[in-house]
Amino acid sequence: MIKLCAPTDEAAVNIDDAIKAMRSMGISLAEIRDVNGINVLDFTDEQANEFYEKLKAKGIDVWAISSPIGKRDLHIDFGAYQDRVAKAIHMAQIFHAPHIRVFSFFEHNNNPDEVVKRLKYVLDEATKVGIKVCLENEKDSYGETPERMIELLDKLPGMLMVYDSSNYIQVGVPAEKTLSMAFPRAYYVHFKDGIHKGNDADIVPVGEGEANIAQLLKLSALRDMTFSIEHHLRYPNEGETFEQIQNTQKFVYPNRTAAFYDAVGHARMMLLKAGYMEIHEGLFKR
């Protein structure tokens, strides 16, 4: 079965608007990353409790704290790193989140030993309190390729993997390779798509790019997985207008929530085309 999820800030900046958009699209599982422009590791306890109670009141559970841990240069001060890890674990406890999402560091100078040391620290600390840690592939991080991700997973027993196909597309790894090599190790999915473009990719709704979403869904048929709609679609940033960006790529939206609605619509369409049925709100079975 596949359960749909979404980072709240992919739906809206404001938590109330995000909840409204998510519930209107039948999504009752959330990742917490940024709310009201504040990163989850910068929430006060009062803010975190307020956001949690609002989600809970509308029947939305928190799947993961989508932390920026590891989305920094490897040489970050270790004491400061420990503080951020402690804050991520504390936020996971407030939100009753069973998972923390992390990355594998920039400016790593191909130094897997130090990457593993730092990832092992967050893994060990989270495991002590029953929280699972999920490692995402990210462009320019140590784990940007399937080979590197598998290397890290093998060196870190208990570490889980977030499979983000569009992040692999960004670094020029074809879907056939990521699906055969990385996806079998995936714990959950960031459900988005992309079209390779130079040293990057245009992010597009699922089914519109090179991620071979049909094959991904076929491979998912015998597994229970969470698919989080971290769409990253293009809409005007602060200071931009829709007219300024509308011809920059194929899929452009007037605002964040419009992008979210289309992303969820494409996700549902691809699931139905792959033979899945929605047996409960946001829960699909083939």
PDB file of all heavy atoms in Angstrom, residues 5-7 10 31 33 66 71 101 103 136 138 162 164 166-167 189-193 203 227-233 263:
ATOM      1  N   CYS A   5       1.758  11.626   1.595  1.00  0.00           N
ATOM      2  CA  CYS A   5       2.247  12.518   2.633  1.00  0.00           C
ATOM      3  C   CYS A   5       2.673  13.805   1.934  1.00  0.00           C
ATOM      4  O   CYS A   5       2.772  13.848   0.701  1.00  0.00           O
ATOM      5  CB  CYS A   5       3.439  11.835   3.331  1.00  0.00           C
ATOM      6  SG  CYS A   5       4.346  12.800   4.559  1.00  0.00           S
ATOM      7  N   ALA A   6       2.931  14.863   2.691  1.00  0.00           N
ATOM      8  CA  ALA A   6       3.457  16.088   2.091  1.00  0.00           C
ATOM      9  C   ALA A   6       4.133  16.943   3.150  1.00  0.00           C
ATOM     10  O   ALA A   6       3.651  17.016   4.289  1.00  0.00           O
ATOM     11  CB  ALA A   6       2.352  16.896   1.415  1.00  0.00           C
ATOM     12  N   PRO A   7       5.231  17.597   2.804  1.00  0.00           N
ATOM     13  CA  PRO A   7       5.758  18.647   3.687  1.00  0.00           C
ATOM     14  C   PRO A   7       4.749  19.794   3.726  1.00  0.00           C
ATOM     15  O   PRO A   7       4.253  20.226   2.679  1.00  0.00           O
ATOM     16  CB  PRO A   7       7.055  19.084   2.985  1.00  0.00           C
ATOM     17  CG  PRO A   7       7.396  17.955   2.050  1.00  0.00           C
ATOM     18  CD  PRO A   7       6.079  17.401   1.616  1.00  0.00           C
ATOM     19  N   GLU A  10       5.160  22.752   1.364  1.00  0.00           N
ATOM     20  CA  GLU A  10       4.922  22.584  -0.074  1.00  0.00           C
ATOM     21  C   GLU A  10       3.487  22.977  -0.421  1.00  0.00           C
ATOM     22  O   GLU A  10       3.167  23.230  -1.581  1.00  0.00           O
ATOM     23  CB  GLU A  10       5.195  21.146  -0.516  1.00  0.00           C
ATOM     24  CG  GLU A  10       6.634  20.700  -0.403  1.00  0.00           C
ATOM     25  CD  GLU A  10       7.545  21.260  -1.481  1.00  0.00           C
ATOM     26  OE1 GLU A  10       7.066  22.001  -2.360  1.00  0.00           O
ATOM     27  OE2 GLU A  10       8.751  20.958  -1.443  1.00  0.00           O
ATOM     28  N   GLU A  31       5.238  16.003   6.602  1.00  0.00           N
ATOM     29  CA  GLU A  31       6.615  16.251   7.006  1.00  0.00           C
ATOM     30  C   GLU A  31       6.675  17.702   7.487  1.00  0.00           C
ATOM     31  O   GLU A  31       6.022  18.576   6.912  1.00  0.00           O
ATOM     32  CB  GLU A  31       7.576  16.053   5.838  1.00  0.00           C
ATOM     33  CG  GLU A  31       7.694  14.601   5.377  1.00  0.00           C
ATOM     34  CD  GLU A  31       8.811  14.404   4.362  1.00  0.00           C
ATOM     35  OE1 GLU A  31       9.970  14.268   4.792  1.00  0.00           O
ATOM     36  OE2 GLU A  31       8.520  14.401   3.151  1.00  0.00           O
ATOM     37  N   ARG A  33       9.053  20.906   7.949  1.00  0.00           N
ATOM     38  CA  ARG A  33      10.327  21.480   7.498  1.00  0.00           C
ATOM     39  C   ARG A  33      10.382  22.973   7.816  1.00  0.00           C
ATOM     40  O   ARG A  33      11.259  23.425   8.537  1.00  0.00           O
ATOM     41  CB  ARG A  33      10.499  21.228   6.001  1.00  0.00           C
ATOM     42  CG  ARG A  33      11.825  21.705   5.430  1.00  0.00           C
ATOM     43  CD  ARG A  33      11.969  21.290   3.986  1.00  0.00           C
ATOM     44  NE  ARG A  33      10.840  21.742   3.161  1.00  0.00           N
ATOM     45  CZ  ARG A  33      10.567  21.248   1.953  1.00  0.00           C
ATOM     46  NH1 ARG A  33      11.313  20.282   1.440  1.00  0.00           N
ATOM     47  NH2 ARG A  33       9.546  21.723   1.267  1.00  0.00           N
ATOM     48  N   SER A  66      11.682  17.012   8.734  1.00  0.00           N
ATOM     49  CA  SER A  66      12.549  17.164   7.553  1.00  0.00           C
ATOM     50  C   SER A  66      13.641  18.175   7.886  1.00  0.00           C
ATOM     51  O   SER A  66      13.604  19.333   7.470  1.00  0.00           O
ATOM     52  CB  SER A  66      11.726  17.614   6.345  1.00  0.00           C
ATOM     53  OG  SER A  66      10.895  16.562   5.912  1.00  0.00           O
ATOM     54  N   LYS A  71      22.912  19.146   5.571  1.00  0.00           N
ATOM     55  CA  LYS A  71      22.808  20.002   4.395  1.00  0.00           C
ATOM     56  C   LYS A  71      23.696  21.227   4.618  1.00  0.00           C
ATOM     57  O   LYS A  71      23.292  22.375   4.413  1.00  0.00           O
ATOM     58  CB  LYS A  71      21.356  20.410   4.147  1.00  0.00           C
ATOM     59  CG  LYS A  71      21.056  20.754   2.691  1.00  0.00           C
ATOM     60  CD  LYS A  71      19.571  20.886   2.446  1.00  0.00           C
ATOM     61  CE  LYS A  71      19.280  21.088   0.967  1.00  0.00           C
ATOM     62  NZ  LYS A  71      17.836  21.148   0.681  1.00  0.00           N
ATOM     63  N   ARG A 101      14.658  13.253   8.850  1.00  0.00           N
ATOM     64  CA  ARG A 101      15.335  13.223   7.558  1.00  0.00           C
ATOM     65  C   ARG A 101      16.643  14.012   7.664  1.00  0.00           C
ATOM     66  O   ARG A 101      16.686  15.100   8.225  1.00  0.00           O
ATOM     67  CB  ARG A 101      14.415  13.836   6.499  1.00  0.00           C
ATOM     68  CG  ARG A 101      14.892  13.761   5.052  1.00  0.00           C
ATOM     69  CD  ARG A 101      15.839  14.870   4.652  1.00  0.00           C
ATOM     70  NE  ARG A 101      15.415  16.230   4.981  1.00  0.00           N
ATOM     71  CZ  ARG A 101      14.704  17.008   4.168  1.00  0.00           C
ATOM     72  NH1 ARG A 101      14.336  16.582   2.990  1.00  0.00           N
ATOM     73  NH2 ARG A 101      14.384  18.247   4.545  1.00  0.00           N
ATOM     74  N   PHE A 103      20.877  14.662   5.595  1.00  0.00           N
ATOM     75  CA  PHE A 103      21.667  14.646   4.364  1.00  0.00           C
ATOM     76  C   PHE A 103      23.111  14.250   4.676  1.00  0.00           C
ATOM     77  O   PHE A 103      23.479  14.087   5.844  1.00  0.00           O
ATOM     78  CB  PHE A 103      21.631  16.023   3.703  1.00  0.00           C
ATOM     79  CG  PHE A 103      20.255  16.496   3.334  1.00  0.00           C
ATOM     80  CD1 PHE A 103      19.529  17.305   4.203  1.00  0.00           C
ATOM     81  CD2 PHE A 103      19.672  16.137   2.132  1.00  0.00           C
ATOM     82  CE1 PHE A 103      18.255  17.743   3.877  1.00  0.00           C
ATOM     83  CE2 PHE A 103      18.392  16.568   1.796  1.00  0.00           C
ATOM     84  CZ  PHE A 103      17.689  17.378   2.671  1.00  0.00           C
ATOM     85  N   GLU A 136      18.627  11.248   2.771  1.00  0.00           N
ATOM     86  CA  GLU A 136      18.181  11.598   1.424  1.00  0.00           C
ATOM     87  C   GLU A 136      19.363  11.882   0.513  1.00  0.00           C
ATOM     88  O   GLU A 136      20.332  12.534   0.910  1.00  0.00           O
ATOM     89  CB  GLU A 136      17.266  12.833   1.482  1.00  0.00           C
ATOM     90  CG  GLU A 136      16.744  13.245   0.114  1.00  0.00           C
ATOM     91  CD  GLU A 136      15.808  14.431   0.149  1.00  0.00           C
ATOM     92  OE1 GLU A 136      15.333  14.780   1.252  1.00  0.00           O
ATOM     93  OE2 GLU A 136      15.552  15.018  -0.924  1.00  0.00           O
ATOM     94  N   GLU A 138      21.104  13.974  -2.243  1.00  0.00           N
ATOM     95  CA  GLU A 138      21.032  15.408  -2.544  1.00  0.00           C
ATOM     96  C   GLU A 138      22.194  15.785  -3.438  1.00  0.00           C
ATOM     97  O   GLU A 138      23.339  15.367  -3.206  1.00  0.00           O
ATOM     98  CB  GLU A 138      21.083  16.222  -1.245  1.00  0.00           C
ATOM     99  CG  GLU A 138      21.091  17.719  -1.410  1.00  0.00           C
ATOM    100  CD  GLU A 138      19.728  18.311  -1.703  1.00  0.00           C
ATOM    101  OE1 GLU A 138      18.732  17.549  -1.696  1.00  0.00           O
ATOM    102  OE2 GLU A 138      19.636  19.532  -1.917  1.00  0.00           O
ATOM    103  N   VAL A 162      15.729   7.797   1.990  1.00  0.00           N
ATOM    104  CA  VAL A 162      14.700   8.495   1.229  1.00  0.00           C
ATOM    105  C   VAL A 162      15.120   8.427  -0.241  1.00  0.00           C
ATOM    106  O   VAL A 162      16.230   8.817  -0.583  1.00  0.00           O
ATOM    107  CB  VAL A 162      14.577   9.974   1.641  1.00  0.00           C
ATOM    108  CG1 VAL A 162      13.410  10.630   0.920  1.00  0.00           C
ATOM    109  CG2 VAL A 162      14.446  10.114   3.143  1.00  0.00           C
ATOM    110  N   ASP A 164      14.774   9.951  -3.758  1.00  0.00           N
ATOM    111  CA  ASP A 164      14.316  11.136  -4.475  1.00  0.00           C
ATOM    112  C   ASP A 164      14.838  11.054  -5.903  1.00  0.00           C
ATOM    113  O   ASP A 164      15.993  11.372  -6.179  1.00  0.00           O
ATOM    114  CB  ASP A 164      14.823  12.404  -3.787  1.00  0.00           C
ATOM    115  CG  ASP A 164      14.190  13.674  -4.343  1.00  0.00           C
ATOM    116  OD1 ASP A 164      14.140  13.801  -5.580  1.00  0.00           O
ATOM    117  OD2 ASP A 164      13.772  14.540  -3.550  1.00  0.00           O
ATOM    118  N   SER A 166      14.139  12.761  -8.619  1.00  0.00           N
ATOM    119  CA  SER A 166      14.503  13.992  -9.328  1.00  0.00           C
ATOM    120  C   SER A 166      15.863  14.513  -8.871  1.00  0.00           C
ATOM    121  O   SER A 166      16.571  15.162  -9.644  1.00  0.00           O
ATOM    122  CB  SER A 166      13.427  15.066  -9.168  1.00  0.00           C
ATOM    123  OG  SER A 166      13.415  15.580  -7.865  1.00  0.00           O
ATOM    124  N   ASN A 167      16.247  14.222  -7.621  1.00  0.00           N
ATOM    125  CA  ASN A 167      17.594  14.601  -7.179  1.00  0.00           C
ATOM    126  C   ASN A 167      18.653  13.813  -7.938  1.00  0.00           C
ATOM    127  O   ASN A 167      19.723  14.338  -8.261  1.00  0.00           O
ATOM    128  CB  ASN A 167      17.742  14.372  -5.680  1.00  0.00           C
ATOM    129  CG  ASN A 167      17.039  15.423  -4.853  1.00  0.00           C
ATOM    130  OD1 ASN A 167      16.459  16.370  -5.387  1.00  0.00           O
ATOM    131  ND2 ASN A 167      17.071  15.273  -3.544  1.00  0.00           N
ATOM    132  N   VAL A 189       9.621   7.616  -0.153  1.00  0.00           N
ATOM    133  CA  VAL A 189       9.864   8.261  -1.442  1.00  0.00           C
ATOM    134  C   VAL A 189       9.481   9.736  -1.383  1.00  0.00           C
ATOM    135  O   VAL A 189       8.432  10.087  -0.841  1.00  0.00           O
ATOM    136  CB  VAL A 189       9.036   7.561  -2.552  1.00  0.00           C
ATOM    137  CG1 VAL A 189       9.112   8.329  -3.868  1.00  0.00           C
ATOM    138  CG2 VAL A 189       9.509   6.120  -2.739  1.00  0.00           C
ATOM    139  N   HIS A 190      10.334  10.583  -1.934  1.00  0.00           N
ATOM    140  CA  HIS A 190       9.924  11.945  -2.264  1.00  0.00           C
ATOM    141  C   HIS A 190       9.422  11.892  -3.696  1.00  0.00           C
ATOM    142  O   HIS A 190      10.187  11.705  -4.642  1.00  0.00           O
ATOM    143  CB  HIS A 190      11.089  12.924  -2.095  1.00  0.00           C
ATOM    144  CG  HIS A 190      11.199  13.447  -0.705  1.00  0.00           C
ATOM    145  ND1 HIS A 190      12.275  14.163  -0.249  1.00  0.00           N
ATOM    146  CD2 HIS A 190      10.345  13.371   0.355  1.00  0.00           C
ATOM    147  CE1 HIS A 190      12.078  14.502   1.016  1.00  0.00           C
ATOM    148  NE2 HIS A 190      10.921  14.028   1.400  1.00  0.00           N
ATOM    149  N   PHE A 191       8.115  12.051  -3.819  1.00  0.00           N
ATOM    150  CA  PHE A 191       7.408  11.725  -5.061  1.00  0.00           C
ATOM    151  C   PHE A 191       7.395  12.938  -5.979  1.00  0.00           C
ATOM    152  O   PHE A 191       6.460  13.750  -5.952  1.00  0.00           O
ATOM    153  CB  PHE A 191       5.995  11.283  -4.711  1.00  0.00           C
ATOM    154  CG  PHE A 191       5.316  10.454  -5.765  1.00  0.00           C
ATOM    155  CD1 PHE A 191       6.023   9.600  -6.590  1.00  0.00           C
ATOM    156  CD2 PHE A 191       3.937  10.514  -5.911  1.00  0.00           C
ATOM    157  CE1 PHE A 191       5.385   8.823  -7.544  1.00  0.00           C
ATOM    158  CE2 PHE A 191       3.277   9.739  -6.859  1.00  0.00           C
ATOM    159  CZ  PHE A 191       4.011   8.893  -7.679  1.00  0.00           C
ATOM    160  N   LYS A 192       8.450  13.057  -6.764  1.00  0.00           N
ATOM    161  CA  LYS A 192       8.516  14.135  -7.740  1.00  0.00           C
ATOM    162  C   LYS A 192       9.320  13.660  -8.947  1.00  0.00           C
ATOM    163  O   LYS A 192       9.867  12.568  -8.949  1.00  0.00           O
ATOM    164  CB  LYS A 192       9.096  15.410  -7.143  1.00  0.00           C
ATOM    165  CG  LYS A 192      10.512  15.375  -6.604  1.00  0.00           C
ATOM    166  CD  LYS A 192      10.837  16.769  -6.055  1.00  0.00           C
ATOM    167  CE  LYS A 192      12.286  16.962  -5.663  1.00  0.00           C
ATOM    168  NZ  LYS A 192      12.620  16.410  -4.357  1.00  0.00           N
ATOM    169  N   ASP A 193       9.364  14.491  -9.962  1.00  0.00           N
ATOM    170  CA  ASP A 193       9.929  14.090 -11.250  1.00  0.00           C
ATOM    171  C   ASP A 193      10.800  15.231 -11.764  1.00  0.00           C
ATOM    172  O   ASP A 193      10.775  16.345 -11.227  1.00  0.00           O
ATOM    173  CB  ASP A 193       8.780  13.787 -12.219  1.00  0.00           C
ATOM    174  CG  ASP A 193       9.144  12.782 -13.298  1.00  0.00           C
ATOM    175  OD1 ASP A 193      10.344  12.628 -13.596  1.00  0.00           O
ATOM    176  OD2 ASP A 193       8.218  12.173 -13.861  1.00  0.00           O
ATOM    177  N   ILE A 203      12.223  20.686 -12.438  1.00  0.00           N
ATOM    178  CA  ILE A 203      11.332  19.823 -11.662  1.00  0.00           C
ATOM    179  C   ILE A 203       9.931  19.912 -12.268  1.00  0.00           C
ATOM    180  O   ILE A 203       9.427  21.002 -12.538  1.00  0.00           O
ATOM    181  CB  ILE A 203      11.312  20.238 -10.190  1.00  0.00           C
ATOM    182  CG1 ILE A 203      12.742  20.309  -9.633  1.00  0.00           C
ATOM    183  CG2 ILE A 203      10.469  19.262  -9.377  1.00  0.00           C
ATOM    184  CD1 ILE A 203      13.529  19.027  -9.777  1.00  0.00           C
ATOM    185  N   PHE A 227       4.741   7.906   0.315  1.00  0.00           N
ATOM    186  CA  PHE A 227       5.142   8.742  -0.812  1.00  0.00           C
ATOM    187  C   PHE A 227       4.852  10.192  -0.430  1.00  0.00           C
ATOM    188  O   PHE A 227       3.694  10.597  -0.358  1.00  0.00           O
ATOM    189  CB  PHE A 227       4.357   8.378  -2.076  1.00  0.00           C
ATOM    190  CG  PHE A 227       4.893   7.202  -2.833  1.00  0.00           C
ATOM    191  CD1 PHE A 227       5.398   6.095  -2.190  1.00  0.00           C
ATOM    192  CD2 PHE A 227       4.893   7.209  -4.227  1.00  0.00           C
ATOM    193  CE1 PHE A 227       5.895   5.008  -2.899  1.00  0.00           C
ATOM    194  CE2 PHE A 227       5.386   6.133  -4.949  1.00  0.00           C
ATOM    195  CZ  PHE A 227       5.894   5.026  -4.280  1.00  0.00           C
ATOM    196  N   SER A 228       5.898  10.953  -0.180  1.00  0.00           N
ATOM    197  CA  SER A 228       5.740  12.334   0.236  1.00  0.00           C
ATOM    198  C   SER A 228       5.857  13.262  -0.973  1.00  0.00           C
ATOM    199  O   SER A 228       6.836  13.209  -1.712  1.00  0.00           O
ATOM    200  CB  SER A 228       6.798  12.698   1.280  1.00  0.00           C
ATOM    201  OG  SER A 228       6.561  13.987   1.783  1.00  0.00           O
ATOM    202  N   ILE A 229       4.853  14.103  -1.141  1.00  0.00           N
ATOM    203  CA  ILE A 229       4.802  14.976  -2.321  1.00  0.00           C
ATOM    204  C   ILE A 229       5.578  16.265  -2.032  1.00  0.00           C
ATOM    205  O   ILE A 229       5.013  17.319  -1.736  1.00  0.00           O
ATOM    206  CB  ILE A 229       3.346  15.226  -2.741  1.00  0.00           C
ATOM    207  CG1 ILE A 229       2.669  13.883  -3.017  1.00  0.00           C
ATOM    208  CG2 ILE A 229       3.288  16.113  -3.986  1.00  0.00           C
ATOM    209  CD1 ILE A 229       1.210  13.962  -3.298  1.00  0.00           C
ATOM    210  N   GLU A 230       6.893  16.121  -2.086  1.00  0.00           N
ATOM    211  CA  GLU A 230       7.795  17.265  -1.972  1.00  0.00           C
ATOM    212  C   GLU A 230       7.982  17.785  -3.395  1.00  0.00           C
ATOM    213  O   GLU A 230       8.988  17.507  -4.046  1.00  0.00           O
ATOM    214  CB  GLU A 230       9.132  16.827  -1.357  1.00  0.00           C
ATOM    215  CG  GLU A 230      10.046  17.974  -1.030  1.00  0.00           C
ATOM    216  CD  GLU A 230      11.510  17.562  -0.980  1.00  0.00           C
ATOM    217  OE1 GLU A 230      11.954  16.772  -1.838  1.00  0.00           O
ATOM    218  OE2 GLU A 230      12.211  18.053  -0.102  1.00  0.00           O
ATOM    219  N   HIS A 231       7.026  18.542  -3.891  1.00  0.00           N
ATOM    220  CA  HIS A 231       6.957  18.765  -5.336  1.00  0.00           C
ATOM    221  C   HIS A 231       8.038  19.689  -5.880  1.00  0.00           C
ATOM    222  O   HIS A 231       8.522  19.495  -6.995  1.00  0.00           O
ATOM    223  CB  HIS A 231       5.572  19.292  -5.729  1.00  0.00           C
ATOM    224  CG  HIS A 231       5.175  20.584  -5.117  1.00  0.00           C
ATOM    225  ND1 HIS A 231       5.678  21.790  -5.553  1.00  0.00           N
ATOM    226  CD2 HIS A 231       4.297  20.870  -4.113  1.00  0.00           C
ATOM    227  CE1 HIS A 231       5.128  22.766  -4.854  1.00  0.00           C
ATOM    228  NE2 HIS A 231       4.294  22.248  -3.968  1.00  0.00           N
ATOM    229  N   HIS A 232       8.446  20.712  -5.147  1.00  0.00           N
ATOM    230  CA  HIS A 232       9.482  21.666  -5.594  1.00  0.00           C
ATOM    231  C   HIS A 232       9.175  22.268  -6.965  1.00  0.00           C
ATOM    232  O   HIS A 232      10.094  22.594  -7.735  1.00  0.00           O
ATOM    233  CB  HIS A 232      10.854  21.001  -5.634  1.00  0.00           C
ATOM    234  CG  HIS A 232      11.513  20.890  -4.285  1.00  0.00           C
ATOM    235  ND1 HIS A 232      10.993  21.450  -3.140  1.00  0.00           N
ATOM    236  CD2 HIS A 232      12.660  20.267  -3.911  1.00  0.00           C
ATOM    237  CE1 HIS A 232      11.790  21.175  -2.120  1.00  0.00           C
ATOM    238  NE2 HIS A 232      12.807  20.461  -2.550  1.00  0.00           N
ATOM    239  N   LEU A 233       7.903  22.383  -7.309  1.00  0.00           N
ATOM    240  CA  LEU A 233       7.541  22.968  -8.599  1.00  0.00           C
ATOM    241  C   LEU A 233       7.779  24.484  -8.574  1.00  0.00           C
ATOM    242  O   LEU A 233       7.899  25.100  -7.518  1.00  0.00           O
ATOM    243  CB  LEU A 233       6.086  22.635  -8.927  1.00  0.00           C
ATOM    244  CG  LEU A 233       5.803  21.143  -9.150  1.00  0.00           C
ATOM    245  CD1 LEU A 233       4.304  20.888  -9.255  1.00  0.00           C
ATOM    246  CD2 LEU A 233       6.519  20.627 -10.396  1.00  0.00           C
ATOM    247  N   ALA A 263       0.490  19.034  -8.210  1.00  0.00           N
ATOM    248  CA  ALA A 263       1.385  17.936  -7.853  1.00  0.00           C
ATOM    249  C   ALA A 263       0.603  16.753  -7.289  1.00  0.00           C
ATOM    250  O   ALA A 263       0.839  15.595  -7.665  1.00  0.00           O
ATOM    251  CB  ALA A 263       2.424  18.411  -6.841  1.00  0.00           C
TER     252      ALA A 263
END
